[in-house]
Amino acid sequence: MRRAGHPFLLLAVLIALAMSIAARPAQAQSAVTGAPLSVCVARVAAGDTAAAMLGAAGRFDCATPQTRFGNGDYWVLSQPLGTIPDVQIRERVRIASLWQERITLYALYPNGQVRGWAYDGHATSRHLQLGAMIQWRLDPRFGAPARLLWRVDGSANLRGILIAPTLATASEASRANIAMAAVYSGFVGLCVALLIYNLAMWGALRHRFQLAYCAMVLSLLCYAFTSSGALAWVNPAMLNNDRLRFNYIFLAAAAATALMFARAFFPPSVTAGWVSRWANRLTALALSAMALFALLAPWQIKLLDAFYAASFVILIVAVLPIIIRARAERSPHLWLFAIAWAAPLLFAAVRLLANIAVVRWNFWIDNSTILAMAFEAIVSTLAIAYRIRLLSVERDEAIEREVIAARLADIDPLTGLLNRRAFLRQAIGRDGEQVLILTDLDHFKHVNETLGHDGGDEVLRVFARVLRQAAPAGALIARMGGEEFAMLCPADRPVAPETVLERLRTARMPFDISVTTSIGACSGPMISEPDWKAMYRRADRALFDAKQAGRDRARFARAA
């Protein structure tokens, strides 16, 4: 198919589109809602206090990207808040959830009073909003703060020290939760529907790629449950860092099962040999890197995160031989596979760029897996349906070929009647009294000598038509060999041998020659093979009698 030649072009176009989307700031209707705050960073030093740091603006670095500071403990200072519109009613402070041990928010009020709200890992889980946003509620009795300060302890600083700080109203925060609930519930509903549908289909069809697809969808469901923050709602006592650990695990599981599905989706000829060995080794390497992060973090977390990010590159590389082999074999499934996996692959590439700070952090980049995999899940289900349709077509064609082959094995190719073997298989075992008619063309050797073998073959075909026209419903007609034919019909619906003789006399033969036949008939049971042999001997004797009596006549054998 010509479409199979363009998966890489499609992927390139979609990557460019994703890069343009990634350059845009998060929109207000996402979890990052409210008035954005600009922040500056300073490393915590011995003896630091919140009050002192609120008055020491000179210690803060506002120019260096946060990821360059490394891990550790930090102060993060907002700009003065007096210029923010409607600051008096913005009593929700929101930031994105990151890997950190403890975070404390301080608010400086115009009268010089400083108030603080500390969240350890457990408290962070209790204050997590949908979209994995940490939220504080400022006390409106104290009025609008003049400035905000955060102390972040144990920051891994994988994506930043403090990301997406905003000052929101209560209604903005509520709308953000509602919007994210719609996004995640839509994704969960889609996954549940696809899971039930494909499990039901697997129960009926038992294709291995259907189970791999279900494993991938289940992993995505678990990933959405952890990445959305819903896990913290179900278990508020869980440490937020443990929620993030589960998030890493299920994302890794989704990536690994996606590769399993990719391998199972194509026929074995695409993934056999070195392609399978290559994919197995790369998958084992990627899963090892992912397992190290889940088990060892926060020890050497920067290095582990780099290995984790590299594992996704490894999985992408593991898909390439499958695509190359499928393209070489002109697989009809490749174009749908390319469409389905273009979005996950390109957003994985963009996330990797965000991880290494080439692209700025963006809420939708951070949650792009949900959107990309929702697209992939839908298209992959269409791909599965398309694959099953092709398998069904192949199965139907194979059945048709088997039927044709069986029919050809049972049919005499010259006349289209049953051959001797098929006739016996269908005749022996018939219930009730049967009538067997044996007929042999008279002087057929002379016909061949007169008309040639082609003319003789045409005579045989004409005689086969005569027998079909004379036979009652349910009769078996066969060419037993040479110019000998047989007909078997129930005794309550017999054919008159004279009818066959008359039809043959009036049939139009090649060159209008006259052709006659002799007939021997008998009746009896046809339950077993001995019955057949007995019936055949009697009918054959009657046929011999007809020949001896002058041909072009019928004789009926007396009952045994």
Side-chain angles (χ1 to χ4, degrees):
M1 297 177 67
R2 296 184 63 84
R3 285 173 291 188
H6 305 298
F8 298 106
L9 176 61
L10 174 65
L11 184 60
V13 171
L14 289 175
I15 287 177
L17 177 62
M19 292 292 290
S20 68
I21 294 172
R24 301 173 185 173
Q27 301 300 312
Q29 62 267 27
S30 74
V32 184
T33 189
L37 302 176
S38 58
V39 295
C40 304
V41 177
R43 189 175 288 274
V44 172
D48 283 346
T49 64
M53 294 305 296
L54 283 165
R59 277 188 54 187
F60 288 87
D61 185 340
C62 303
T64 305
Q66 292 184 19
T67 51
R68 295 186 183 177
F69 286 94
N71 57 7
D73 302 335
Y74 292 94
W75 295 101
V76 181
L77 181 66
S78 76
Q79 86 270 29
L81 305 180
T83 59
I84 293 179
D86 302 320
V87 69
Q88 295 82 6
I89 61 173
R90 295 185 180 275
E91 56 188 51
R92 301 291 192 272
V93 179
R94 297 164 63 89
I95 63 171
S97 172
L98 299 171
W99 191 290
Q100 50 205 202
E101 299 298 327
R102 180 184 180 88
I103 185 165
T104 305
L105 171 67
Y106 297 96
L108 172 65
Y109 290 92
N111 62 3
Q113 187 176 7
V114 177
R115 293 184 59 83
W117 299 266
Y119 289 173
D120 61 7
H122 296 290
T124 297
S125 294
R126 290 193 297 273
H127 290 83
L128 211 60
Q129 307 299 301
L130 282 179
M133 301 296 292
I134 304 171
Q135 180 174 280
W136 288 267
R137 182 179 182 276
L138 300 176
D139 193 335
R141 294 176 300 173
F142 293 92
R147 206 157 198 176
L148 298 176
L149 175 72
W150 292 266
R151 174 164 173 160
V152 183
D153 295 307
S155 171
N157 198 6
L158 300 177
R159 313 288 176 260
I161 299 166
L162 190 140
I163 292 178
T166 61
L167 200 57
T169 65
S171 61
E172 286 174 336
S174 296
R175 285 197 301 270
N177 274 337
I178 292 171
M180 296 313 299
V183 170
Y184 287 113
S185 61
F187 179 76
V188 169
L190 172 69
C191 287
V192 169
L194 294 177
L195 192 61
I196 293 173
Y197 170 77
N198 283 281
L199 278 175
M201 291 289 288
W202 175 80
L205 302 174
R206 301 283 174 165
H207 292 303
R208 188 165 60 95
F209 59 81
Q210 293 173 293
L211 276 185
Y213 178 84
C214 290
M216 180 190 72
V217 172
L218 186 60
S219 298
L220 288 173
L221 270 174
C222 295
Y223 171 73
F225 186 58
T226 57
S227 67
S228 66
L231 178 60
W233 288 23
V234 173
N235 184 13
M238 172 179 283
L239 287 171
N240 188 52
N241 285 352
D242 286 342
R243 179 191 66 83
L244 291 171
R245 196 186 308 273
F246 279 112
N247 197 35
Y248 275 82
I249 291 172
F250 288 124
L251 182 58
T257 51
L259 181 58
M260 287 172 51
F261 171 68
R263 293 174 60 185
F265 179 74
F266 289 102
S269 60
V270 173
T271 55
W274 69 270
V275 173
S276 180
R277 293 191 296 271
W278 172 265
N280 286 337
R281 291 165 185 164
L282 290 181
T283 302
L285 182 61
L287 289 177
S288 299
M290 294 170 174
L292 284 175
F293 185 96
L295 294 173
L296 301 179
W299 177 81
Q300 295 294 327
I301 193 167
K302 279 277 191 181
L303 181 62
L304 293 175
D305 184 68
F307 286 156
Y308 186 88
S311 66
F312 284 91
V313 177
I314 293 172
L315 289 176
I316 292 173
V317 171
V319 174
L320 294 179
I322 299 174
I323 295 176
I324 293 170
R325 175 75 69 81
R327 188 173 185 272
E329 294 195 5
R330 304 183 69 82
S331 169
H333 315 107
L334 180 57
W335 68 276
L336 262 175
F337 177 84
I339 293 174
W341 287 94
L345 290 178
L346 72 91
F347 277 108
V350 173
R351 284 194 68 167
L352 289 173
L353 294 176
N355 288 353
I356 60 177
V358 174
V359 175
R360 289 182 59 187
W361 183 92
N362 180 292
F363 175 82
W364 290 116
I365 292 178
D366 204 44
N367 289 271
S368 61
T369 302
I370 297 295
L371 303 177
M373 295 309 289
F375 174 80
E376 187 279 333
I378 294 172
V379 179
S380 286
T381 287
L382 296 176
I384 288 174
Y386 179 65
R387 172 80 192 279
I388 290 173
R389 178 182 175 275
L390 292 183
L391 289 172
S392 299
V393 170
E394 292 172 3
R395 179 202 61 198
D396 293 344
E397 289 176 349
I399 292 174
E400 185 177 354
R401 286 194 297 270
E402 290 179 4
V403 170
I404 292 173
R407 187 177 299 166
L408 290 175
D410 291 345
I411 298 300
D412 172 58
L414 177 64
T415 62
L417 302 177
L418 295 175
N419 58 28
R420 182 185 183 90
R421 180 182 60 187
F423 177 81
L424 293 179
R425 187 176 68 246
Q426 297 182 40
I428 296 174
R430 280 199 163 196
D431 295 331
E433 191 84 358
Q434 303 290 317
V435 174
L436 175 64
I437 295 176
L438 293 183
T439 176
D440 188 275
L441 292 175
D442 297 330
H443 304 297
F444 190 69
K445 182 179 179 182
H446 177 69
V447 171
N448 275 334
E449 291 173 349
T450 303
L451 302 179
H453 286 289
D454 289 342
D457 288 347
E458 181 58 27
V459 169
L460 292 174
R461 283 192 284 266
V462 172
F463 186 48
R465 287 197 296 271
V466 167
L467 293 175
R468 286 197 195 93
Q469 292 166 0
L476 298 178
I477 312 171
R479 181 186 179 196
M480 304 299 282
E483 65 272 21
E484 182 184 5
F485 295 79
M487 181 187 300
L488 186 72
C489 55
D492 59 351
R493 296 194 304 275
V495 60
E498 290 75 12
T499 302
V500 176
L501 296 173
E502 184 59 34
R503 285 179 178 271
L504 181 60
R505 293 184 192 113
T506 58
R508 180 74 178 271
M509 290 292 177
F511 299 99
D512 292 326
I513 68 167
S514 177
V515 177
T516 62
T517 187
S518 299
I519 296 176
C522 70
S523 63
M526 192 71 77
I527 303 299
S528 63
E529 187 171 349
D531 291 337
W532 153 253
K533 290 180 178 178
M535 290 269 285
Y536 183 81
R537 282 195 300 270
R538 292 167 57 211
D540 188 56
R541 181 63 187 174
L543 174 62
F544 180 78
D545 290 345
K547 293 281 190 185
Q548 290 294 99
R551 296 182 172 84
D552 189 22
R553 65 199 62 214
R555 290 290 184 268
F556 209 102
R558 292 190 299 271

